[in-house]
Every structure is written in C-alpha cells, then in structure tokens.
C-alpha cells in the first residue's frame, strides 16, 4: 500500500464494516489518481465540480472525502517539489561538467 493510501486510511480495518469503508476510500483515492485534472493546485471545490457525479465520490462521506483529498493534493505537491529539486540538481551537475571540459 502506498504512503498516500496509508495516510488516508490510518489503521487497518478490522471489522467487516470498517473493511467496506476502507474499500470505498481506496476506490475514491484511485479515482483521484486517475483524474488528470486533479493536481497539487486543485481545490476541493474544483474537484467536486469535476468528480461529484462519480459513484466513487458519492460512496465516501464528505468529511472523509475532504481529508483524503487534502492528503492527496499535499502528496502531489511534495512529489512534484522533489521532482523539481531532482531536475534542478541534474541541471547544475550538467553545467559543472560543461565548465570543466
């Protein structure tokens, strides 16, 4: 299970009721991951306008949706930030190699 889904779900479900809730949250997070319009800068209201008709959206209560959504976009922001840092590092490395030649 990814860090994102672990953060969103917290402790593993032990009762059948909790397992159903976990499954619907997983399906909701999967919907977020597959929706290209959702990015680190997307607000909950924008996501609601895009996804509110989807069954995965409707299957999760509002509070859980908001929590999972916030974790999801925060994760996207930190992931894109680390990718940018890696690219910047590679650019600096290439510049140093060219100067040394």
């Amino acid at each position: 299970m990814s860090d994102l889904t672990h953060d969103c779900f917290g402790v593993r479900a032990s009762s059948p009721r909790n397992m159903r809730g976990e499954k619907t949250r997983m399906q909701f997070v999967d919907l977020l991951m597959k929706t290209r319009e959702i990015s680190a800068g997307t607000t909950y209201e924008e996501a609601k306008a895009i996804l509110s008709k989807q069954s995965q959206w409707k299957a999760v209560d509002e509070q859980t949706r908001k929590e999972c959504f916030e974790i999801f976009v925060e994760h996207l922001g930190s992931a894109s930030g680390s990718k940018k840092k890696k690219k910047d590092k590679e650019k600096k490395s290439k510049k140093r190699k060219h100067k040394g030649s």
Side-chain angles (χ1 to χ4, degrees):
M1 187 179 278
S2 73
D3 290 341
L4 172 65
T5 51
H6 179 72
D7 288 345
C8 186
F9 305 135
V11 180
R12 299 290 289 166
S14 55
S15 73
R17 183 174 178 218
N18 287 344
M19 289 178 75
R20 278 192 301 274
E22 182 176 347
K23 183 178 179 181
T24 59
R25 288 188 299 270
M26 286 179 68
Q27 290 170 341
F28 174 68
V29 172
D30 190 50
L31 173 67
L32 293 174
M33 289 191 289
K34 290 179 178 177
T35 306
R36 294 202 172 265
E37 295 88 352
I38 306 296
S39 67
T42 305
T43 65
Y44 179 80
E45 292 305 316
E46 291 168 334
K48 185 176 182 178
I50 295 167
L51 301 172
S52 63
K53 292 184 175 35
Q54 300 293 322
S55 62
Q56 300 96 319
W57 180 275
K58 294 175 184 178
V60 180
D61 68 85
E62 180 98 14
Q63 180 181 350
T64 303
R65 259 197 316 266
K66 284 184 176 182
E67 288 173 6
C68 289
F69 176 79
E70 292 302 324
I71 292 167
F72 181 77
V73 294
E74 184 179 305
H75 182 76
L76 286 178
S78 64
S80 66
S82 62
K83 284 181 185 177
K84 184 179 180 336
K85 286 179 185 177
K86 186 177 178 181
K87 283 185 179 180
D88 289 347
K89 205 178 222 183
E90 288 172 359
K91 284 181 184 178
K92 286 179 183 178
S93 177
K94 286 180 182 179
K95 284 182 182 178
R96 280 189 227 134
K97 286 180 182 178
H98 288 302
K99 285 182 179 180
S101 298

